Amino acid sequence: ESCNGCGNCFTGCNNGAKNSLDKNYLVIAKKFGAEIFTKIYVNHIEYLKKENEYLVFFNDLNFSKFGIESNKLQKIKAKKVIL
């Protein structure tokens, strides 16, 4: 749909006229194999030159997603990282 001029843009488009991250970019990224994490606190990122990958150190604020206490620092390897 096109914009109806309601003025509620600041809370997100209520009639679907505007694209948003959750409707386009994240959907496309997921289709191409991206893993999307929410409620994650990234502590730091290290670049592993030999492996051409990144090591992301984080705390899981979801608590149960990884089955580990959220206050423990965890890590995951990634070829690309977008914050």
Side-chain angles (χ1 to χ4, degrees):
E1 291 185 41
S2 60
C3 179
N4 66 5
C6 70
N8 289 327
C9 304
F10 66 92
T11 60
C13 184
N14 294 324
N15 80 352
K18 291 187 173 186
N19 284 324
S20 63
L21 190 64
D22 61 330
K23 290 185 178 183
N24 55 26
Y25 301 116
L26 293 179
V27 173
I28 292 167
K30 190 141 177 99
K31 284 181 184 177
F32 281 93
E35 289 185 70
I36 299 166
F37 298 90
T38 59
K39 296 183 181 177
I40 296 293
Y41 174 80
V42 175
N43 184 287
H44 66 282
I45 300 171
E46 291 180 15
Y47 178 63
L48 306 174
K49 192 172 185 175
K50 286 184 181 179
E51 300 174 39
N52 194 29
E53 290 183 328
Y54 296 91
L55 199 53
V56 180
F57 294 84
F58 66 94
N59 295 88
D60 178 12
L61 304 179
N62 291 303
F63 185 70
S64 62
K65 184 173 183 176
F66 294 98
I68 301 172
E69 290 181 39
S70 63
N71 63 350
K72 288 189 176 181
L73 191 62
Q74 301 168 59
K75 61 186 173 186
I76 190 169
K77 276 189 180 181
K79 292 187 183 286
K80 295 181 182 178
V81 177
I82 300 171
L83 302 174

Coordinates of all heavy atoms in Angstrom, one line a residue:
E1 N 0.8 -1.2 0.0 CA 0.0 0.0 0.0 C 0.9 1.2 0.0 O 2.0 1.2 0.4 CB -0.9 0.0 1.2 CG -2.0 -1.0 1.3 CD -2.9 -0.9 2.5 OE1 -3.2 0.3 2.8 OE2 -3.2 -1.9 3.1
S2 N 0.3 2.3 -0.4 CA 1.0 3.6 -0.4 C 0.7 4.3 0.9 O -0.3 4.0 1.6 CB 0.7 4.4 -1.6 OG -0.7 4.7 -1.7
C3 N 1.5 5.3 1.2 CA 1.3 6.1 2.4 C -0.1 6.8 2.4 O -0.5 7.4 1.3 CB 2.4 7.2 2.5 SG 2.2 8.2 4.0
N4 N -0.8 6.7 3.5 CA -2.1 7.4 3.6 C -2.1 8.7 4.3 O -3.1 9.4 4.6 CB -3.2 6.5 4.2 CG -2.9 6.1 5.6 OD1 -2.0 6.7 6.3 ND2 -3.7 5.2 6.2
G5 N -0.9 9.1 4.7 CA -0.7 10.4 5.4 C -1.2 10.5 6.8 O -1.5 11.6 7.3
C6 N -1.3 9.4 7.5 CA -1.9 9.4 8.9 C -1.0 10.0 9.9 O -1.4 10.4 10.9 CB -2.3 7.9 9.3 SG -0.8 6.9 9.6
G7 N 0.3 10.1 9.6 CA 1.3 10.7 10.5 C 1.8 9.9 11.7 O 2.5 10.4 12.6
N8 N 1.5 8.6 11.6 CA 2.0 7.7 12.7 C 3.4 7.1 12.4 O 3.7 6.0 12.9 CB 1.0 6.6 13.0 CG -0.2 7.2 13.7 OD1 -0.2 8.1 14.5 ND2 -1.4 6.6 13.4
C9 N 4.1 7.7 11.5 CA 5.4 7.1 11.1 C 6.4 6.9 12.2 O 7.2 5.9 12.2 CB 6.1 8.1 10.1 SG 5.0 8.5 8.7
F10 N 6.4 7.7 13.2 CA 7.4 7.6 14.3 C 7.2 6.3 15.1 O 8.1 5.9 15.8 CB 7.3 8.8 15.2 CG 6.1 9.0 16.0 CD1 5.9 8.4 17.3 CD2 5.0 9.7 15.5 CE1 4.8 8.6 18.0 CE2 3.8 9.8 16.2 CZ 3.7 9.3 17.4
T11 N 6.1 5.7 15.1 CA 5.9 4.4 15.8 C 5.9 3.2 14.8 O 5.7 2.1 15.2 CB 4.5 4.4 16.5 OG1 3.5 4.5 15.6 CG2 4.4 5.4 17.6
G12 N 6.2 3.5 13.6 CA 6.2 2.4 12.6 C 4.9 2.5 11.8 O 3.9 2.9 12.3
C13 N 5.0 2.2 10.5 CA 3.9 2.3 9.6 C 2.8 1.3 10.0 O 3.0 0.1 10.0 CB 4.3 2.1 8.2 SG 3.0 2.4 7.0
N14 N 1.6 1.8 10.3 CA 0.5 1.0 10.7 C -0.2 0.4 9.5 O -1.0 -0.6 9.7 CB -0.5 1.8 11.5 CG 0.1 2.2 12.8 OD1 0.9 1.5 13.4 ND2 -0.3 3.4 13.3
N15 N 0.0 0.9 8.3 CA -0.7 0.3 7.2 C 0.2 -0.4 6.2 O -0.2 -0.7 5.0 CB -1.7 1.3 6.5 CG -1.0 2.3 5.6 OD1 0.1 2.3 5.5 ND2 -1.7 3.1 4.8
G16 N 1.5 -0.6 6.5 CA 2.4 -1.4 5.7 C 3.0 -0.6 4.5 O 3.5 -1.3 3.6
A17 N 2.9 0.7 4.5 CA 3.4 1.4 3.3 C 4.9 1.6 3.3 O 5.5 1.7 2.2 CB 2.7 2.8 3.3
K18 N 5.6 1.5 4.4 CA 7.0 1.7 4.4 C 7.7 0.4 4.7 O 7.2 -0.4 5.5 CB 7.4 2.7 5.5 CG 7.0 4.1 5.2 CD 7.6 5.1 6.2 CE 7.3 6.5 5.8 NZ 8.0 7.4 6.6
N19 N 8.8 0.2 4.1 CA 9.7 -0.9 4.4 C 10.3 -0.7 5.8 O 10.6 0.4 6.2 CB 10.8 -1.1 3.3 CG 10.2 -1.7 2.1 OD1 9.3 -2.5 2.1 ND2 10.8 -1.3 0.9
S20 N 10.6 -1.8 6.4 CA 11.3 -1.7 7.7 C 12.3 -2.9 7.8 O 12.2 -3.8 7.0 CB 10.3 -1.7 8.9 OG 9.6 -2.9 8.9
L21 N 13.2 -2.8 8.7 CA 14.2 -3.8 8.9 C 13.6 -5.2 9.0 O 14.1 -6.1 8.3 CB 15.0 -3.5 10.1 CG 16.3 -4.3 10.3 CD1 17.3 -4.0 9.2 CD2 16.9 -3.9 11.6
D22 N 12.6 -5.4 9.7 CA 12.0 -6.7 10.0 C 11.2 -7.2 8.7 O 10.9 -8.4 8.6 CB 11.1 -6.7 11.2 CG 9.9 -5.8 11.1 OD1 10.1 -4.7 10.4 OD2 8.9 -6.0 11.7
K23 N 10.9 -6.3 7.8 CA 10.1 -6.7 6.7 C 10.9 -7.0 5.4 O 10.4 -7.6 4.5 CB 9.0 -5.7 6.3 CG 7.9 -5.6 7.4 CD 6.8 -4.7 6.9 CE 5.7 -4.6 7.9 NZ 4.6 -3.8 7.5
N24 N 12.1 -6.4 5.4 CA 12.9 -6.6 4.2 C 14.3 -7.1 4.4 O 14.7 -8.3 4.1 CB 12.9 -5.4 3.3 CG 13.4 -4.2 4.0 OD1 14.1 -4.2 5.0 ND2 12.9 -3.0 3.6
Y25 N 15.2 -6.3 5.1 CA 16.6 -6.7 5.2 C 16.8 -8.0 6.0 O 17.6 -8.8 5.6 CB 17.4 -5.6 5.7 CG 17.3 -4.3 4.9 CD1 16.7 -3.1 5.4 CD2 17.8 -4.3 3.6 CE1 16.7 -2.0 4.7 CE2 17.7 -3.1 2.8 CZ 17.1 -2.0 3.4 OH 17.0 -0.9 2.6
L26 N 16.2 -8.1 7.1 CA 16.4 -9.3 8.0 C 15.8 -10.5 7.3 O 16.4 -11.6 7.4 CB 15.8 -9.1 9.4 CG 16.4 -8.0 10.2 CD1 15.7 -7.9 11.6 CD2 17.9 -8.3 10.5
V27 N 14.7 -10.4 6.6 CA 14.1 -11.5 5.9 C 15.0 -12.0 4.8 O 15.3 -13.2 4.7 CB 12.7 -11.2 5.4 CG1 12.2 -12.3 4.5 CG2 11.7 -10.8 6.5
I28 N 15.6 -11.1 4.1 CA 16.5 -11.5 3.0 C 17.7 -12.1 3.5 O 18.2 -13.1 3.0 CB 16.8 -10.2 2.1 CG1 15.5 -9.8 1.4 CG2 17.9 -10.5 1.1 CD1 15.7 -8.4 0.7
A29 N 18.3 -11.5 4.6 CA 19.5 -12.0 5.2 C 19.3 -13.5 5.7 O 20.1 -14.3 5.5 CB 20.0 -11.1 6.3
K30 N 18.2 -13.7 6.3 CA 17.9 -15.0 6.8 C 17.7 -16.1 5.7 O 18.2 -17.2 5.8 CB 16.6 -15.0 7.7 CG 16.3 -16.3 8.4 CD 15.8 -16.0 9.8 CE 15.4 -17.2 10.5 NZ 16.4 -17.7 11.4
K31 N 17.1 -15.6 4.6 CA 17.0 -16.5 3.4 C 18.4 -16.9 2.9 O 18.5 -18.0 2.3 CB 16.2 -15.8 2.3 CG 14.7 -15.8 2.6 CD 14.0 -15.2 1.4 CE 12.5 -15.0 1.7 NZ 11.8 -14.3 0.7
F32 N 19.4 -16.1 3.1 CA 20.7 -16.3 2.6 C 21.6 -17.0 3.7 O 22.8 -17.1 3.5 CB 21.4 -15.1 2.0 CG 20.9 -14.7 0.7 CD1 19.9 -13.9 0.5 CD2 21.6 -15.3 -0.5 CE1 19.4 -13.6 -0.8 CE2 21.1 -15.0 -1.7 CZ 20.1 -14.1 -1.9
G33 N 21.0 -17.4 4.8 CA 21.7 -18.2 5.8 C 22.2 -17.4 7.0 O 22.9 -18.0 7.8
A34 N 21.8 -16.2 7.1 CA 22.3 -15.4 8.3 C 21.6 -15.9 9.5 O 20.4 -16.3 9.5 CB 21.9 -13.9 8.1
E35 N 22.3 -15.9 10.6 CA 21.7 -16.2 11.9 C 21.5 -14.8 12.6 O 22.4 -14.0 12.6 CB 22.7 -17.0 12.8 CG 22.8 -18.4 12.3 CD 23.6 -19.3 13.3 OE1 23.2 -19.5 14.4 OE2 24.8 -19.6 12.9
I36 N 20.3 -14.6 13.1 CA 20.0 -13.3 13.7 C 19.8 -13.5 15.2 O 19.0 -14.4 15.6 CB 18.7 -12.8 13.0 CG1 19.0 -12.5 11.5 CG2 18.3 -11.5 13.7 CD1 17.8 -12.3 10.7
F37 N 20.5 -12.7 16.0 CA 20.4 -12.8 17.4 C 19.8 -11.5 18.0 O 20.2 -10.4 17.6 CB 21.8 -13.0 18.0 CG 22.5 -14.3 17.6 CD1 23.3 -14.3 16.4 CD2 22.3 -15.4 18.3 CE1 23.9 -15.4 16.0 CE2 22.9 -16.6 17.9 CZ 23.7 -16.6 16.7
T38 N 18.9 -11.7 18.9 CA 18.3 -10.5 19.6 C 18.6 -10.6 21.1 O 18.9 -11.7 21.6 CB 16.8 -10.4 19.4 OG1 16.2 -11.6 19.9 CG2 16.5 -10.3 17.9
K39 N 18.5 -9.5 21.8 CA 18.8 -9.5 23.2 C 20.1 -10.1 23.6 O 20.3 -10.9 24.5 CB 17.7 -10.2 24.0 CG 16.3 -9.5 23.8 CD 15.3 -10.2 24.7 CE 13.9 -9.5 24.5 NZ 12.9 -10.1 25.2
I40 N 21.1 -9.7 22.8 CA 22.5 -10.1 23.0 C 23.3 -8.9 23.3 O 23.2 -7.9 22.7 CB 23.1 -10.8 21.7 CG1 22.3 -12.0 21.4 CG2 24.6 -11.0 21.8 CD1 22.5 -13.2 22.3
Y41 N 24.1 -9.0 24.4 CA 25.1 -7.9 24.7 C 26.4 -8.3 24.2 O 27.0 -9.3 24.8 CB 25.1 -7.6 26.2 CG 26.1 -6.6 26.6 CD1 25.9 -5.3 26.5 CD2 27.4 -7.1 27.1 CE1 26.9 -4.4 26.8 CE2 28.4 -6.1 27.4 CZ 28.1 -4.8 27.3 OH 29.1 -3.9 27.6
V42 N 27.0 -7.6 23.2 CA 28.3 -8.0 22.7 C 29.3 -7.3 23.6 O 29.3 -6.1 23.7 CB 28.4 -7.5 21.2 CG1 29.8 -7.8 20.7 CG2 27.4 -8.3 20.4
N43 N 30.2 -8.1 24.2 CA 31.3 -7.6 25.0 C 32.4 -7.1 24.2 O 32.9 -6.0 24.4 CB 31.7 -8.7 26.0 CG 32.7 -8.3 27.0 OD1 33.9 -8.1 26.6 ND2 32.3 -8.1 28.2
H44 N 32.9 -7.9 23.3 CA 33.9 -7.5 22.3 C 34.0 -8.5 21.2 O 33.5 -9.6 21.2 CB 35.3 -7.4 23.0 CG 35.9 -8.6 23.6 ND1 35.5 -9.2 24.7 CD2 36.9 -9.4 23.1 CE1 36.2 -10.3 25.0 NE2 37.0 -10.5 24.0
I45 N 34.7 -8.1 20.1 CA 34.9 -8.9 18.9 C 36.4 -8.9 18.6 O 37.1 -7.9 18.6 CB 34.1 -8.2 17.7 CG1 32.6 -8.1 18.0 CG2 34.4 -9.0 16.5 CD1 31.9 -7.3 17.0
E46 N 36.8 -10.1 18.3 CA 38.2 -10.3 17.9 C 38.3 -10.8 16.4 O 37.4 -11.7 16.1 CB 38.9 -11.4 18.8 CG 39.1 -11.0 20.2 CD 39.8 -12.0 21.0 OE1 40.4 -13.0 20.5 OE2 39.8 -11.9 22.3
Y47 N 39.2 -10.3 15.7 CA 39.4 -10.8 14.3 C 40.4 -11.9 14.3 O 41.5 -11.7 14.8 CB 39.8 -9.6 13.4 CG 40.0 -10.1 12.0 CD1 39.0 -10.6 11.2 CD2 41.3 -10.0 11.4 CE1 39.2 -11.0 9.9 CE2 41.5 -10.4 10.1 CZ 40.5 -10.9 9.3 OH 40.7 -11.3 8.0
L48 N 40.1 -13.0 13.8 CA 41.0 -14.2 13.7 C 41.6 -14.2 12.3 O 41.0 -14.6 11.3 CB 40.3 -15.5 13.9 CG 39.5 -15.5 15.3 CD1 38.7 -16.8 15.3 CD2 40.5 -15.4 16.4
K49 N 42.8 -13.5 12.1 CA 43.4 -13.3 10.8 C 43.6 -14.6 10.1 O 43.3 -14.7 8.9 CB 44.7 -12.5 11.0 CG 45.3 -12.0 9.7 CD 46.4 -11.1 10.0 CE 46.9 -10.5 8.7 NZ 48.0 -9.5 8.9
K50 N 44.2 -15.6 10.7 CA 44.5 -16.9 10.1 C 43.2 -17.6 9.5 O 43.3 -18.2 8.4 CB 45.2 -17.9 11.0 CG 46.6 -17.5 11.3 CD 47.3 -18.6 12.2 CE 48.7 -18.2 12.5 NZ 49.3 -19.2 13.4
E51 N 42.1 -17.4 10.2 CA 40.9 -18.1 9.8 C 40.0 -17.2 9.0 O 39.0 -17.6 8.4 CB 40.2 -18.6 11.0 CG 41.0 -19.6 11.8 CD 40.3 -20.0 13.1 OE1 39.1 -20.2 13.1 OE2 41.0 -20.2 14.1
N52 N 40.3 -15.9 8.9 CA 39.5 -14.9 8.3 C 38.1 -14.9 8.8 O 37.1 -14.9 8.1 CB 39.5 -15.0 6.7 CG 39.0 -13.8 6.0 OD1 39.1 -12.7 6.5 ND2 38.4 -14.0 4.9
E53 N 38.0 -15.0 10.1 CA 36.7 -15.0 10.8 C 36.7 -14.1 12.0 O 37.8 -13.6 12.4 CB 36.3 -16.4 11.2 CG 36.0 -17.4 10.1 CD 35.6 -18.8 10.6 OE1 36.1 -19.2 11.6 OE2 34.8 -19.4 9.9
Y54 N 35.6 -13.9 12.6 CA 35.5 -13.1 13.8 C 35.1 -14.0 15.0 O 34.3 -15.0 14.8 CB 34.5 -12.0 13.7 CG 34.8 -11.0 12.6 CD1 34.4 -11.2 11.3 CD2 35.6 -9.9 12.9 CE1 34.8 -10.3 10.3 CE2 36.0 -9.0 12.0 CZ 35.6 -9.2 10.6 OH 35.9 -8.3 9.7
L55 N 35.5 -13.7 16.1 CA 35.1 -14.3 17.4 C 34.3 -13.3 18.2 O 34.9 -12.2 18.5 CB 36.3 -14.8 18.1 CG 36.1 -15.9 19.2 CD1 35.4 -17.1 18.6 CD2 37.4 -16.3 19.8
V56 N 33.1 -13.5 18.4 CA 32.2 -12.6 19.1 C 32.0 -13.1 20.5 O 31.5 -14.2 20.7 CB 30.8 -12.4 18.3 CG1 30.0 -11.4 19.0 CG2 31.1 -12.0 16.9
F57 N 32.3 -12.2 21.4 CA 32.1 -12.6 22.9 C 30.9 -11.8 23.3 O 30.8 -10.6 23.1 CB 33.3 -12.1 23.7 CG 34.6 -12.9 23.4 CD1 35.4 -12.6 22.3 CD2 34.9 -14.0 24.1 CE1 36.5 -13.3 22.0 CE2 36.0 -14.8 23.8 CZ 36.8 -14.4 22.8
F58 N 29.9 -12.5 23.9 CA 28.7 -11.9 24.3 C 28.0 -12.5 25.5 O 28.4 -13.6 26.0 CB 27.7 -12.1 23.1 CG 27.3 -13.5 22.8 CD1 26.2 -14.1 23.4 CD2 28.1 -14.3 22.0 CE1 25.8 -15.4 23.1 CE2 27.7 -15.6 21.8 CZ 26.6 -16.2 22.3
N59 N 27.1 -11.8 26.0 CA 26.2 -12.3 27.1 C 24.8 -12.4 26.5 O 24.3 -11.5 25.8 CB 26.1 -11.4 28.3 CG 27.5 -11.3 28.9 OD1 28.3 -10.4 28.5 ND2 27.7 -12.1 29.9
D60 N 24.2 -13.6 26.7 CA 22.8 -13.8 26.2 C 21.8 -13.3 27.2 O 21.6 -13.8 28.3 CB 22.6 -15.3 26.0 CG 21.3 -15.7 25.5 OD1 20.5 -14.8 25.1 OD2 21.0 -16.9 25.5
L61 N 21.1 -12.2 26.8 CA 20.1 -11.6 27.7 C 18.8 -12.4 27.6 O 17.9 -12.1 28.4 CB 19.9 -10.2 27.3 CG 21.2 -9.3 27.4 CD1 20.9 -7.9 27.0 CD2 21.9 -9.4 28.8
N62 N 18.7 -13.4 26.7 CA 17.5 -14.2 26.6 C 17.5 -15.3 27.7 O 16.5 -16.0 27.9 CB 17.4 -14.9 25.2 CG 17.1 -13.9 24.1 OD1 16.1 -13.2 24.2 ND2 18.0 -13.9 23.1
F63 N 18.6 -15.5 28.2 CA 18.9 -16.5 29.3 C 18.8 -18.0 28.8 O 19.8 -18.7 28.9 CB 18.0 -16.4 30.5 CG 18.3 -17.3 31.6 CD1 19.5 -17.1 32.3 CD2 17.5 -18.3 31.9 CE1 19.9 -18.0 33.4 CE2 17.9 -19.2 33.0 CZ 19.0 -19.0 33.7
S64 N 17.7 -18.4 28.1 CA 17.6 -19.8 27.8 C 17.9 -20.1 26.4 O 18.0 -21.3 26.0 CB 16.1 -20.2 28.1 OG 15.3 -19.5 27.2
K65 N 18.2 -19.2 25.5 CA 18.4 -19.5 24.1 C 19.6 -20.5 23.9 O 19.5 -21.4 23.1 CB 18.7 -18.2 23.3 CG 18.9 -18.4 21.8 CD 18.9 -17.1 21.1 CE 19.0 -17.4 19.6 NZ 19.0 -16.2 18.8
F66 N 20.7 -20.3 24.7 CA 21.8 -21.2 24.5 C 21.9 -22.2 25.7 O 22.9 -22.9 25.8 CB 23.1 -20.3 24.4 CG 23.2 -19.5 23.2 CD1 22.8 -18.2 23.2 CD2 23.6 -20.1 22.0 CE1 22.9 -17.5 22.0 CE2 23.6 -19.4 20.8 CZ 23.3 -18.0 20.8
G67 N 21.0 -22.1 26.6 CA 21.0 -23.0 27.7 C 22.1 -22.8 28.7 O 22.5 -23.7 29.5
I68 N 22.6 -21.6 28.8 CA 23.7 -21.2 29.6 C 23.3 -19.9 30.4 O 22.5 -19.1 29.9 CB 25.0 -20.9 28.8 CG1 25.4 -22.1 28.0 CG2 26.1 -20.5 29.7 CD1 26.5 -21.8 27.0
E69 N 23.8 -19.8 31.6 CA 23.5 -18.6 32.4 C 23.8 -17.4 31.7 O 24.9 -17.3 31.1 CB 24.2 -18.7 33.8 CG 23.7 -19.7 34.7 CD 24.5 -19.7 36.0 OE1 24.8 -18.6 36.5 OE2 24.7 -20.8 36.5
S70 N 23.0 -16.4 31.7 CA 23.2 -15.2 30.9 C 24.4 -14.3 31.4 O 24.9 -13.6 30.6 CB 21.9 -14.3 30.9 OG 21.6 -13.9 32.2
N71 N 24.8 -14.5 32.6 CA 25.9 -13.7 33.1 C 27.3 -14.3 32.7 O 28.3 -13.6 32.9 CB 25.8 -13.5 34.6 CG 26.0 -14.8 35.4 OD1 25.9 -15.8 34.8 ND2 26.1 -14.7 36.7
K72 N 27.3 -15.4 32.1 CA 28.5 -16.0 31.6 C 28.9 -15.5 30.2 O 28.0 -15.5 29.4 CB 28.4 -17.5 31.6 CG 28.4 -18.2 32.9 CD 28.5 -19.7 32.8 CE 28.6 -20.3 34.2 NZ 28.7 -21.8 34.0
L73 N 30.1 -15.1 30.0 CA 30.6 -14.7 28.7 C 30.7 -15.9 27.8 O 31.2 -16.9 28.1 CB 32.0 -14.0 28.9 CG 32.5 -13.3 27.7 CD1 31.5 -12.1 27.3 CD2 33.9 -12.8 27.9
Q74 N 30.0 -15.7 26.6 CA 30.0 -16.8 25.7 C 30.7 -16.3 24.4 O 30.9 -15.2 24.2 CB 28.5 -17.2 25.4 CG 27.8 -17.7 26.6 CD 26.3 -17.7 26.4 OE1 25.9 -18.5 25.5 NE2 25.6 -17.0 27.1
K75 N 30.9 -17.2 23.4 CA 31.5 -16.8 22.2 C 31.0 -17.6 21.0 O 30.5 -18.8 21.2 CB 33.0 -17.0 22.3 CG 33.5 -18.3 22.5 CD 35.0 -18.3 22.7 CE 35.5 -19.7 23.1 NZ 36.9 -19.8 23.4
I76 N 31.0 -17.0 19.9 CA 30.6 -17.7 18.6 C 31.5 -17.2 17.5 O 31.9 -16.0 17.5 CB 29.1 -17.4 18.4 CG1 28.6 -18.3 17.2 CG2 28.8 -16.0 18.1 CD1 27.1 -18.3 17.1
K77 N 31.8 -18.1 16.5 CA 32.6 -17.7 15.4 C 31.7 -17.3 14.3 O 30.6 -17.8 14.1 CB 33.4 -18.9 14.9 CG 34.7 -19.0 15.6 CD 35.6 -20.1 14.9 CE 36.9 -20.3 15.6 NZ 37.7 -21.3 14.9
A78 N 32.1 -16.3 13.5 CA 31.3 -15.8 12.3 C 32.2 -15.3 11.2 O 33.3 -14.7 11.5 CB 30.4 -14.7 12.8
K79 N 31.8 -15.6 10.0 CA 32.5 -15.0 8.9 C 32.3 -13.6 8.7 O 33.1 -12.8 8.2 CB 32.2 -15.8 7.6 CG 32.7 -17.2 7.6 CD 32.4 -17.9 6.3 CE 32.8 -19.4 6.3 NZ 34.3 -19.6 6.3
K80 N 31.0 -13.1 9.0 CA 30.6 -11.7 8.9 C 29.8 -11.4 10.1 O 29.1 -12.2 10.7 CB 29.8 -11.5 7.7 CG 30.5 -11.7 6.4 CD 29.7 -11.4 5.2 CE 30.4 -11.6 3.9 NZ 29.6 -11.4 2.7
V81 N 30.0 -10.1 10.6 CA 29.3 -9.6 11.8 C 28.7 -8.3 11.4 O 29.4 -7.4 11.0 CB 30.2 -9.5 13.0 CG1 29.5 -8.9 14.2 CG2 30.8 -10.9 13.3
I82 N 27.4 -8.1 11.7 CA 26.7 -6.9 11.5 C 26.1 -6.5 12.8 O 25.3 -7.3 13.3 CB 25.7 -7.0 10.4 CG1 26.4 -7.4 9.1 CG2 25.0 -5.6 10.2 CD1 25.4 -7.7 7.9
L83 N 26.4 -5.3 13.3 CA 25.9 -4.9 14.6 C 24.9 -3.8 14.4 O 25.0 -2.9 13.5 CB 27.0 -4.4 15.5 CG 28.0 -5.4 15.9 CD1 29.1 -4.8 16.7 CD2 27.4 -6.6 16.7

